[in-house]
Amino acid sequence: MPIPNDSSSAFVHGAAMLDFLPGPMHRLVLRNAHALRLWWWRTTHRRVRGCNVIAANDAGEVLLVRHSYHSPNTWMLPGGGLGTNEEPAIAGARELLEETGCILLRPVHIGTVTLDRTGWTNLLEMVAGHTDDLPRPDGREIIEARFFAPDALPDQTSSPVKAMIARWLAGQNGSSGCD
């Protein structure tokens, strides 16, 4: 089965076109469109390629987000779909900027994680970098974005995110910085 490179990205870009809608209606459209997309992926047994971003600040904290349309009580890494032929580091920097308003400095592709999502497969390219910015969630797609110490993640952080952060930390030779 082919790997769609831009379906998640098209979803988010299409959602951006809905900015004229009042916030609550925009979030409702996002939730329904996301549910339909997940149903389609399960039905067609898709292999979807996306990225997750580990953006660290000067204190070594990592940026996590809560989405309005997907598991809103769960903290996740920023990220999304890769455009056709888009490099993971470039996609990661783009997604971080779109979701949080933060600029990713020195983005590096650090690996791929494959997640079985009950009927579809998520191939996540892990991207890490540094940001000097404070997150500014739009309140529509992203309802909250905050930095957390890697050893003090919220209880509501998803298990795959915890594993990705642990993998990133292991590659830092004991340092939580990206330098």
Side-chain angles (χ1 to χ4, degrees), residues 21-40:
L21 293 175
M25 185 174 287
H26 187 155
R27 289 187 292 275
L28 178 64
V29 169
L30 285 174
R31 278 191 297 277
N32 289 328
H34 184 66
L36 181 61
R37 175 176 64 169
L38 291 177
W39 172 82
W40 178 250

Side-chain angles (χ1 to χ4, degrees), residues 30-175:
L30 285 174
R31 278 191 297 277
N32 289 328
H34 184 66
L36 181 61
R37 175 176 64 169
L38 291 177
W39 172 82
W40 178 250
W41 289 347
R42 279 191 303 275
T43 301
T44 60
H45 303 286
R46 288 292 223 213
R47 292 174 51 90
V48 179
R49 187 170 173 234
C51 68
N52 275 155
V53 181
I54 298 174
N57 63 13
D58 285 338
E61 299 168 318
V62 295
L63 182 59
L64 299 180
V65 300
R66 289 189 312 114
H67 292 92
S68 66
Y69 60 90
H70 176 67
S71 301
N73 296 320
T74 303
W75 288 96
M76 300 179 192
L77 291 167
L82 273 70
T84 305
N85 300 319
E86 188 175 27
E87 295 295 322
I90 292 175
R94 175 183 50 75
E95 285 291 342
L96 185 69
L97 184 62
E98 287 175 4
E99 292 190 355
T100 68
C102 294
I103 295 172
L104 189 64
L105 305 171
R106 300 179 303 282
V108 177
H109 179 236
I110 59 172
T112 304
V113 173
T114 303
L115 300 174
D116 177 9
R117 295 292 190 182
T118 313
W120 65 282
T121 303
N122 199 355
L123 304 173
L124 290 171
E125 305 299 340
M126 290 175 47
V127 175
H130 179 85
T131 187
D132 294 324
D133 302 318
L134 293 176
R136 298 176 313 277
D138 66 6
R140 290 170 177 263
E141 178 186 357
I142 304 297
I143 54 177
E144 190 172 6
R146 292 183 23 211
F147 284 99
F148 296 93
D151 61 351
L153 299 174
D155 290 338
Q156 299 82 10
T157 305
S158 75
S159 296
V161 167
K162 289 178 182 177
M164 285 183 246
I165 290 172
R167 179 175 168 180
W168 168 72
L169 283 172
Q172 298 300 311
N173 297 323
S175 167

